[in-house]
Amino acid sequence: MRLLHNAANIQRFLTEDAELAKEVILAVAHSAVYSDKIYSHLDADQLGWLFDNLNRLFPPSEDPVEDDQVYAVTPRHDAGRFRDN
């Protein structure tokens, strides 16, 4: 029960403060792209919330361009990949 309460608080804080939400997502996006640890602990409603917020905070239309040239992968690239997984 306490875990559900904490998850609700986290969702509320991240929904109310877009800048904080972006910072948190950018901080965890790299590891989230290569692991299902975050997804595997979420229920359907939480996954829906995460998907909606990733699209709101990191819209595909603002993704960095990835062309055939060499480039450095940034946290913003990882956030887009996290959103798309």
Side-chain angles (χ1 to χ4, degrees):
M1 192 65 130
R2 185 175 191 158
L3 179 62
L4 294 175
H5 179 72
N6 289 337
N9 283 334
I10 291 168
Q11 284 182 341
R12 184 172 44 86
F13 288 127
L14 296 181
T15 301
E16 292 173 356
D17 189 339
E19 289 307 311
L20 174 62
K22 283 183 178 183
E23 288 181 38
V24 169
I25 291 167
L26 290 171
V28 302
H30 178 77
S31 61
V33 169
Y34 302 104
S35 171
D36 69 348
K37 286 183 181 180
I38 291 175
Y39 301 119
S40 64
H41 296 289
L42 301 178
D43 64 28
D45 288 338
Q46 292 167 330
L47 285 169
W49 175 88
L50 179 61
F51 177 78
D52 290 344
N53 280 282
L54 286 170
N55 275 289
R56 179 178 59 88
L57 296 168
F58 301 100
S61 62
E62 296 177 11
D63 283 352
V65 176
E66 294 181 17
D67 53 23
D68 292 334
Q69 298 181 19
V70 175
Y71 63 92
V73 176
T74 66
R76 180 58 182 85
H77 286 94
D78 288 331
R81 291 175 183 161
F82 180 36
R83 177 201 64 228
D84 294 342
N85 285 329

